[in-house]
Amino acid sequence: MKKIMIICAGLILFGFTTTRAQAVLDKIDRATDKADRAGHTADRTKSTGDKILGFFGKKKNSSSSSETKTTVKISGVDFATLRNINDKLQAVKGIESTKMKYGASGSSITLQHSGSTSDILKTLQKASPEVFAEKNIDGMDDGEISIKLK
């Protein structure tokens, strides 16, 4: 009789624990389903938005013209002058961003811009003719311009 009571108590206890575990798993399943539905809704909203923008002639920018990077290496410059050059370059039309690095052996400014390196050099010569004068240009290659100031 004791064995039957112990077995019955164990089954009841085990049944209660199993039921609670199943309830937790059901809650997790419902939360996952909500997240999936939200993701699908976001995908549908994005595709609808893309279709609407297509009516207005807005095209995705698939060209890499705005992703052109050019590094301007400048030697013979102090920090104040480099910062002044960087400030001028940030105001130039066609340059999206600049990143300045200063070092005793040489400094550089990395430009994110549209167009080619030669196009940006022409623009830089107009913006800061004293720095980007032809006598100061030490070299030029795709993605790199070397300037030597005295």
Side-chain angles (χ1 to χ4, degrees):
M1 185 77 163
K2 281 186 171 183
K3 289 183 181 178
I4 293 177
M5 296 262 284
I6 293 174
I7 292 174
C8 288
L11 288 175
I12 290 173
L13 183 62
F14 181 71
F16 178 71
T17 306
T18 304
T19 305
R20 285 193 76 185
Q22 186 61 42
V24 169
L25 292 175
D26 288 343
K27 285 181 181 180
I28 292 171
D29 193 37
R30 283 192 299 269
T32 305
D33 287 342
K34 281 184 181 180
D36 286 341
R37 283 194 304 267
H40 291 301
T41 302
D43 289 341
R44 284 182 288 183
T45 303
K46 181 188 176 305
S47 71
T48 302
D50 289 344
K51 288 177 186 175
I52 290 172
L53 288 176
F55 290 130
F56 296 110
K58 181 167 174 118
K59 304 291 181 192
K60 290 184 179 178
N61 188 4
S62 61
S63 67
S64 63
S65 64
S66 66
E67 297 178 6
T68 306
K69 283 188 179 181
T70 298
T71 303
V72 179
K73 294 183 178 182
I74 304 172
S75 61
V77 66
D78 61 357
F79 184 73
T81 307
L82 183 69
R83 188 174 45 195
N84 186 20
I85 293 169
N86 188 50
D87 292 342
K88 284 183 181 179
L89 295 182
Q90 287 177 345
V92 172
K93 183 179 179 183
I95 296 179
E96 296 173 12
S97 66
T98 65
K99 185 175 181 182
M100 181 177 74
K101 292 183 183 178
Y102 178 75
S105 61
S107 304
S108 67
I109 300 174
T110 303
L111 308 172
Q112 182 85 18
H113 62 90
S114 58
S116 66
T117 301
S118 60
D119 293 339
I120 202 67
L121 178 59
K122 290 175 188 174
T123 306
L124 296 176
Q125 286 175 329
K126 291 177 186 174
S128 185
E130 65 279 356
V131 174
F132 294 98
E134 290 185 12
K135 66 179 182 178
N136 294 337
I137 297 175
D138 200 33
M140 186 180 99
D141 196 10
D142 284 340
E144 186 175 306
I145 300 170
S146 297
I147 304 292
K148 188 172 187 179
L149 298 177
K150 297 178 183 180

